[in-house]
Amino acid sequence: MNLAIDVPGAKKIRVIVNSDAKNEADDQYAIVHSLLTPQFVIKGLIGAHFGEARSNTSMLDSVKEIKLLLDIMGLSGEYSVFRGAEHAMQDERTPAISEGAELIVREAMSEDQRPLFVIFLGAITDLASAYLMNPAIADRLTAIWIGGGSWPDGETEFNLSNDIHAANVVFSSPIPLWQVPRNVYSKMRVSLAELKRRVEPSGDIGRYLYRQLVETNELWASNPYWPKGEMWTLGDSPAVGLLLHDQPYDFDWKPAPRVSSDMTYIHHQTERRIRVYRDIDVRFILEDMYAKLELFSAES
């Protein structure tokens, strides 16, 4: 793709996208944004599970959705799609071995000197499994996770709920981790009117992104709490934006907690620290995505 944006080779980074893409309607926006970002050298996309409450084949559903996005964009065959773990880890010692975890290990241990970032838009199962399979990956990648409750107490949060064991493995590991907790990713608010004006006109992929979000909005209309009706939260998109600019004044170094069964944080140590974001630049992230969609549709 040529979006008329020149990114020097020295500035490019390797990126693996791990997404529970068929869980709802916002992963698709983050995936497409990643694919349209010239600074990213996409080394693979991994379909992640999202529990069994909505589907007994959630990982496969995610893989199918990622492939559909590539097909709509005319990029089938350009990028490899891998299967992540089918289910959460059974404990904190046993990896859920999958194609996705093997990809993370393989790419981390490669001789490519460009920085490697792996973004997780759902459960963090495949990262924890990759680490248990080969702990040497810990200092060879950086992970960005959209998940976990607000600090300092924690709370119920969907991505965390789908694999608490995996979160505890990663929190206790030396893997560089950027956490975007629920109170922060929830700031990615957009109105349906805004998406209709800024996304739907952008060719086949713009129409699909808008339509599938509206359909999900209607499907869950009977839920009294979510969605709200005229707005949505593109909660996975900060993972893309923070790779474009890591907002160095908008995070704190926090001692990594353990996560209890009720998803509250247990603060038990001070040595292992992670980067926890307290703010994101919503305008920057959205405008970059809108502009790239428009440029892509013009090129197509």
Side-chain angles (χ1 to χ4, degrees), residues 134-146:
N134 189 342
I137 71 171
D139 61 355
R140 301 176 67 91
L141 63 82
T142 298
I144 297 88
W145 181 38
I146 305 292

Side-chain angles (χ1 to χ4, degrees), residues 16 35 50 55 61 83 109-110 125 135 138 180 270 276 291 300:
I16 296 173
L35 293 169
F50 48 93
S55 172
D61 297 343
R83 295 183 178 189
M109 301 308 294
S110 77
T125 308
V180 184
T270 59
V276 180
S300 303

Side-chain angles (χ1 to χ4, degrees), residues 4-21:
I5 302 170
D6 185 20
V7 179
K11 299 293 185 182
K12 294 192 176 185
I13 58 175
R14 292 178 291 155
V15 176
I16 296 173
V17 179
N18 186 289
S19 168
D20 57 349

Side-chain angles (χ1 to χ4, degrees), residues 227-276:
K228 299 295 185 181
E230 248 191 83
M231 61 78 63
W232 200 268
T233 302
L234 299 183
D236 292 314
S237 293
V240 180
L242 290 174
L243 289 185
L244 292 170
H245 185 261
D246 69 346
Q247 299 183 216
Y249 299 106
D250 294 318
F251 67 82
D252 299 303
W253 289 105
K254 299 283 192 180
R258 278 192 60 79
V259 181
S260 68
S261 59
D262 65 358
M263 288 178 276
T264 56
Y265 296 139
I266 302 170
H267 301 287
H268 67 108
Q269 61 85 43
T270 59
E271 298 300 318
R272 154 69 165 157
R273 292 178 178 265
I274 61 174
R275 182 185 291 200
V276 180

Side-chain angles (χ1 to χ4, degrees), residues 123-164:
I124 205 162
T125 308
D126 296 317
L127 178 61
S129 298
Y131 173 71
L132 291 174
M133 290 160 60
N134 189 342
I137 71 171
D139 61 355
R140 301 176 67 91
L141 63 82
T142 298
I144 297 88
W145 181 38
I146 305 292
S150 60
W151 281 69
D153 298 326
E155 62 189 311
T156 299
E157 194 275 329
F158 185 78
N159 292 343
L160 174 58
S161 73
N162 282 317
D163 202 336
I164 294 173

Side-chain angles (χ1 to χ4, degrees), residues 60-121:
L60 294 175
D61 297 343
S62 294
V63 168
K64 182 178 179 181
E65 182 71 3
I66 293 170
K67 290 181 176 179
L68 176 60
L69 292 172
L70 291 171
D71 184 55
I72 293 171
M73 297 176 75
L75 298 176
S76 295
E78 296 292 323
Y79 301 96
S80 297
V81 182
F82 299 85
R83 295 183 178 189
E86 292 187 41
H87 307 288
M89 292 170 52
Q90 65 184 34
D91 54 45
E92 294 179 29
R93 301 173 302 280
T94 309
I97 297 173
S98 68
E99 293 178 352
E102 290 171 345
L103 168 68
I104 293 169
V105 171
R106 185 166 62 249
E107 196 57 42
M109 301 308 294
S110 77
E111 296 182 359
D112 195 326
Q113 296 300 303
R114 293 172 295 188
L116 173 62
F117 293 86
V118 189
I119 62 175
F120 292 86
L121 314 181

Side-chain angles (χ1 to χ4, degrees), residues 161-267:
S161 73
N162 282 317
D163 202 336
I164 294 173
H165 290 318
N168 279 326
V169 169
V170 174
F171 279 154
S172 64
S173 78
I175 297 171
L177 176 66
W178 304 357
Q179 182 191 8
V180 184
R182 182 180 181 184
N183 59 305
V184 178
Y185 70 68
S186 295
K187 295 181 179 184
M188 285 296 307
R189 293 179 292 272
V190 291
S191 71
L192 298 189
E194 179 181 0
L195 295 177
K196 184 171 182 62
R197 184 168 179 266
R198 303 296 301 278
V199 172
E200 189 184 35
S202 295
D204 291 342
I205 192 59
R207 284 188 289 274
Y208 178 74
L209 289 174
Y210 178 73
R211 186 181 74 247
Q212 59 92 31
L213 188 145
V214 169
E215 289 174 353
T216 304
N217 195 50
E218 293 171 349
L219 180 65
W220 294 353
S222 60
N223 187 319
Y225 305 107
W226 180 260
K228 299 295 185 181
E230 248 191 83
M231 61 78 63
W232 200 268
T233 302
L234 299 183
D236 292 314
S237 293
V240 180
L242 290 174
L243 289 185
L244 292 170
H245 185 261
D246 69 346
Q247 299 183 216
Y249 299 106
D250 294 318
F251 67 82
D252 299 303
W253 289 105
K254 299 283 192 180
R258 278 192 60 79
V259 181
S260 68
S261 59
D262 65 358
M263 288 178 276
T264 56
Y265 296 139
I266 302 170
H267 301 287

